[in-house]
Amino acid sequence: AALNGGLRSQVSAALKEGRVAPTELCQRCLALIKSTKFLNAYITVAEETALKQAEESEERYKRGQPLGILDGIPIAVKDNFNTAGIETTCASNMLKGYISPYNATVVQKLLDQGAVLLGKTNLDEFAMGSGSTDGVFGPVRNPWSYSKQYKEKNVPKSYPEDEESNWVITGGSSGGSAAAVSSFTCFAALGSDTGGSTRNPAAHCGVVGLKPTYGLISRHGLIPLVNSMDVPGILTRCVDDAAVLLGSLAGHDPKDSTTTQDGFEPFELPDLTDVSKLSIGIPKEYHAPGLSSEILALWSKAADLFKNAGAKVVEVSLPHTPYSIVCYHVLCTAEVASNMARFDGLEYGHRSDMKDSTESMYAATRREGFNDVVRGRILSGNYFLLKQNYEKYFVKAQKVRRLIANDFVKVFRSGVDILLTPTTLSDAAPYTEFIQEDNRTRSAQDDILTQAANMAGLPAINVPTALSERGLPVGLQFIGRSFQEKQLLTVAKWFEKQVQFPVIQLEEVERHDSDVFQHQKSASFS
Amino acid sequence: QKVSVEVLEHLEHLALVDFRDAEGVERLQKAIQFADQLHEVNTDGVEPMDSVLEDRWCLYLREDDVTEGNCTKELLENAREKVEEYFVAPPGNIPLPKLEERETFLQGS
């Protein structure tokens, strides 16, 4: 029963008191991963090393010397983080078989605190996408597709075919991580967030997804997409857990010179009771074209919730919001063109058999290794960086970026503490529908509510809010001031408590932990 | 305004990635069209932004001290072709064949 609760309040206590052993936790998670294989959330499951780590953790607990709250906790890591001795593929043919010689800083930090690394999760190839559908290992399925809540609202016309094709996407690109946390196969997972890649799947999978301030958490070992926007993301089942993970990961890293040079103190979240001193901003441009009426209503209801509790709720304007996707498109493809240049087949990864010349070997390797999406972005990026286009596109986009970042500065300076917005335009789409549009179109549509926070480097978090008419999760997003994660998470935690988002009812999980659902909250927000 | 074959060829050469088919070229055309929306924004007097951290702290250079290394063996493990402590590449200084001689979709244009 404790396993459904928070890390700090329940699981850690259970481990310390010996009510559950780390090896037991690990085995349960591994078994659940096996029985939820159809979700395709994991690319690699590191069973042997995980069990070994769990055993070592158990020894520490027996001696009464656990390393901290994360000691013995099973976690999963998105497959674009380097993990020593474990294959790191970025869901691409380019890195199939690549065994990292080192751990990303964030992975090392988790291991140093005794966390148990269960495996690497699935994603869109090189984190390019918003569905987790474009990786070479296939798409990730949203666990909610198999939930009682979704099945009740979607009785298939012809069984079992419709049920098979009815499944919905996780969102992306950190879909594997979101699905892993959502289906209880791990207690927390690392994702990455460049345009919304942690918050988007968090919203669709009904989990908490935190994008920290740019510079707070080290990117060393995170295979880069856009160096000026990438951040490691944190996915958990509750806001308190996100704070625990943040506490163990944040801070200066000598191996990443873009990390904070100020100190960082891990914090516990207070239980906010009085919101009367809070000022919540509602940016009107986030009422974007295509926003479902359902989510609009939920957003409005949330604003009222704050108002009725005594907070000041004001409409604000971030006028350059509509241009953030275009701006991102240029800056992202430009940085991608540069970052993908390292994949030439010489030092690591796939290598073509072509031997005629170095250049033709590079070209063939890249033709064989990258999918259409990646190649498309590289070519576009190179176009925008051509001498004749540099000022017109790349520098222009950098100027627009400043305007977007300034919009936020102005709003926060006017007294607003936190912004409240939707995270996605609608609930998760069925896979068959999602793939009708190409990756770039989809990303452009889906990133619209999340992208600007990456542009400005601000912290943002998705909090699962309610179930949609179709029985699928819908989340809302809070955006905070730079490096003010404590305030952001405190407000998010208060909101989480008000909405009481329901626990997913998954047959597979129920079979494993019959007492997990004893504590299911009956009141729900919608 | 369509992108010329010369520019397309130039891009393939710079990126060492090919367009593969008409769809690939179309994708670039659409990407450019999309990016053109940027010109609707007035950026007079606005400085380009390199980093969101520009006001807080600068990227710094660390001291030129050797703090790690000696991992030749680990680094060579992931390379497919190597000899002793060298990565082995096919002959260099041979430019990619010209458009006419190369197997590329653009030949048909």
Side-chain angles (χ1 to χ4, degrees):
Chain A
L3 303 181
N4 195 29
L7 286 173
R8 191 192 297 273
S9 58
Q10 309 247 7
V11 189
S12 183
L15 285 167
K16 277 201 219 138
E17 292 159 23
R19 283 184 275 129
V20 68
T23 49
E24 207 185 313
L25 267 188
C26 182
Q27 271 153 359
R28 269 171 162 178
C29 287
L30 290 171
L32 197 51
I33 291 174
K34 286 200 179 89
S35 61
T36 54
K37 208 157 180 222
F38 55 89
L39 295 177
N40 202 20
Y42 288 81
I43 293 175
T44 303
V45 181
E47 189 162 336
E48 268 182 48
T49 51
L51 284 169
K52 189 158 168 293
Q53 285 159 9
E55 276 161 19
E56 286 164 13
S57 171
E58 203 155 300
E59 282 306 304
R60 289 191 291 267
Y61 275 104
K62 281 197 186 122
R63 291 198 307 267
Q65 292 169 339
L67 295 166
I69 299 181
L70 291 179
D71 203 334
I73 302 296
I75 49 133
V77 170
K78 186 176 181 182
D79 208 14
N80 59 353
F81 285 91
N82 276 283
T83 43
I86 300 175
E87 195 179 359
T88 299
T89 67
C90 293
S92 175
N93 279 320
M94 190 59 91
L95 286 177
K96 252 193 192 166
Y98 166 70
I99 311 277
S100 315
Y102 71 108
N103 280 320
T105 297
V106 288
V107 172
Q108 191 61 56
K109 283 188 169 193
L110 290 174
L111 293 174
D112 287 344
Q113 301 195 32
V116 173
L117 177 51
L118 293 172
K120 309 298 291 297
T121 56
N122 204 352
L123 58 155
D124 283 301
E125 182 161 337
F126 280 110
M128 298 185 201
S130 59
S132 303
T133 52
D134 275 325
V136 293
F137 297 102
V140 186
R141 301 187 180 201
N142 191 328
W144 284 84
S145 315
Y146 303 94
S147 67
K148 205 169 180 184
Q149 290 106 326
Y150 179 65
K151 288 196 215 173
E152 271 169 4
K153 304 282 181 101
N154 294 275
V155 183
K157 293 177 211 87
S158 70
Y159 188 89
E161 299 149 12
D162 268 11
E163 200 186 64
E164 248 312 287
S165 57
N166 254 353
W167 62 268
V168 299
I169 57 163
T170 49
S173 61
S174 311
S177 284
V181 173
S182 170
S183 57
F184 290 88
T185 59
C186 61
F187 282 79
L190 290 185
S192 65
D193 196 311
T194 306
S197 291
T198 288
R199 294 159 285 155
N200 174 295
H204 287 317
C205 294
V207 298
V208 171
L210 171 63
K211 174 214 168 294
T213 309
Y214 179 84
L216 187 59
I217 300 187
S218 172
R219 291 177 297 111
H220 174 76
L222 166 60
I223 295 171
L225 186 60
V226 184
N227 301 69
S228 69
M229 297 183 212
D230 290 348
V231 292
I234 293 170
L235 294 128
T236 56
R237 287 193 283 276
C238 66
V239 178
D240 264 331
D241 288 355
V244 170
L245 266 290
L246 182 69
S248 60
L249 296 177
H252 180 68
D253 180 16
K255 293 182 181 171
D256 178 354
S257 56
T258 60
T259 52
T260 174
Q261 287 167 34
D262 293 337
F264 173 80
E265 277 305 310
F267 48 79
E268 266 186 61
L269 296 176
D271 272 307
L272 193 62
T273 44
D274 174 22
V275 296
S276 61
K277 295 194 186 64
L278 216 51
S279 172
I280 308 283
I282 310 285
K284 63 181 192 212
E285 292 82 4
Y286 279 65
H287 185 351
L291 186 66
S292 81
S293 48
E294 221 179 8
I295 298 196
L296 181 61
L298 223 54
W299 183 23
S300 181
K301 208 164 166 185
D304 287 341
L305 189 73
F306 278 99
K307 210 180 295 175
N308 296 335
K312 180 164 168 230
V313 179
V314 287
E315 190 190 72
V316 296
S317 176
L318 297 166
H320 295 93
T321 304
Y323 293 102
S324 83
I325 287 297
V326 189
C327 185
Y328 176 63
H329 166 70
V330 173
L331 294 179
C332 174
T333 49
E335 293 211 37
V336 161
S338 171
N339 280 322
M340 296 295 130
R342 71 192 68 193
F343 298 105
D344 55 22
L346 264 189
E347 305 95 334
Y348 44 75
H350 174 69
R351 176 174 176 146
S352 166
D353 290 330
M354 164 67 71
K355 286 183 182 9
D356 291 355
S357 69
T358 315
E359 282 204 14
S360 61
M361 185 278 275
Y362 289 173
T365 294
R366 292 156 72 79
R367 184 185 315 135
E368 293 160 21
F370 290 139
N371 75 1
D372 285 351
V373 177
V374 178
R375 280 182 14 258
R377 291 199 195 188
I378 294 173
L379 289 163
S380 301
N382 273 293
Y383 180 83
F384 298 131
L385 291 172
L386 288 175
K387 234 187 300 198
Q388 67 257 37
N389 296 328
Y390 195 81
E391 279 288 328
K392 221 173 96 167
Y393 290 99
F394 184 70
V395 176
K396 179 80 180 177
Q398 286 192 305
K399 294 179 179 180
V400 175
R401 180 174 187 177
R402 183 178 294 283
L403 292 175
I404 294 170
N406 283 347
D407 279 355
F408 284 99
V409 170
K410 284 193 198 114
V411 163
F412 284 127
R413 220 171 255 165
S414 75
V416 166
D417 299 308
I418 303 270
L419 298 168
L420 167 63
T421 81
T423 313
T424 55
L425 295 174
S426 68
D427 57 4
Y431 175 70
T432 47
E433 196 184 291
F434 184 79
I435 53 173
Q436 307 269 334
E437 293 270 20
D438 71 274
N439 184 295
R440 191 184 59 75
T441 310
R442 279 294 178 201
S443 300
Q445 292 163 349
D446 301 333
D447 288 347
I448 217 153
L449 301 168
T450 47
Q451 212 300 301
N454 297 85
M455 211 45 99
L458 299 171
I461 186 170
N462 172 75
V463 181
T465 306
L467 294 185
S468 68
E469 285 280 304
R470 290 162 67 215
L472 294 171
V474 167
L476 290 177
Q477 173 178 239
F478 293 93
I479 304 174
R481 299 165 192 244
S482 272
F483 298 101
Q484 302 302 311
E485 268 78 351
K486 186 169 181 189
Q487 181 182 53
L488 177 69
L489 291 171
T490 300
V491 175
K493 180 176 166 176
W494 179 86
F495 184 71
E496 173 188 63
K497 194 163 176 201
Q498 308 306 307
V499 303
Q500 306 269 293
F501 183 78
V503 178
I504 186 176
Q505 287 174 306
L506 264 183
E507 238 180 74
E508 288 74 13
V509 179
E510 277 170 16
R511 242 181 277 135
H512 279 267
D513 291 325
S514 56
D515 52 1
V516 163
F517 301 107
Q518 276 174 22
H519 297 265
Q520 183 182 338
K521 316 282 196 276
S522 51
S524 69
F525 190 48
S526 67
Chain B
Q1 221 174 359
K2 282 211 175 268
V3 181
S4 71
V5 178
E6 286 77 35
V7 172
L8 291 175
E9 209 226 326
H10 185 47
L11 286 174
E12 280 197 342
H13 195 138
L14 278 178
L16 287 180
V17 150
D18 64 329
F19 283 98
R20 179 114 9 137
D21 49 32
E23 204 186 313
V25 178
E26 202 28 47
R27 197 176 287 131
L28 176 67
Q29 290 289 160
K30 287 209 190 104
I32 299 169
Q33 223 176 327
F34 190 62
D36 282 334
Q37 290 173 70
L38 271 180
H39 303 119
E40 294 167 22
V41 187
N42 183 344
T43 51
D44 291 341
V46 181
E47 282 299 301
M49 181 182 238
D50 287 323
S51 167
V52 296
L53 300 174
E54 60 187 13
D55 289 336
R56 287 181 182 264
W57 43 75
C58 306
L59 285 186
Y60 60 93
L61 291 176
R62 69 185 181 106
E63 288 305 308
D64 191 11
D65 296 324
V66 176
T67 52
E68 56 180 351
N70 288 323
C71 49
T72 314
K73 189 162 155 289
E74 286 92 334
L75 293 181
L76 284 174
E77 247 162 55
N78 278 299
R80 216 186 83 171
E81 308 213 8
K82 50 205 172 206
V83 166
E84 290 177 18
E85 293 190 342
Y86 293 89
F87 294 112
V88 179
N93 274 339
I94 301 175
L96 266 187
K98 289 210 191 0
L99 189 61
E100 310 80 64
E101 296 149 32
R102 188 154 60 93
E103 219 178 271
T104 164
F105 158 74
L106 295 177
Q107 245 197 51
S109 322

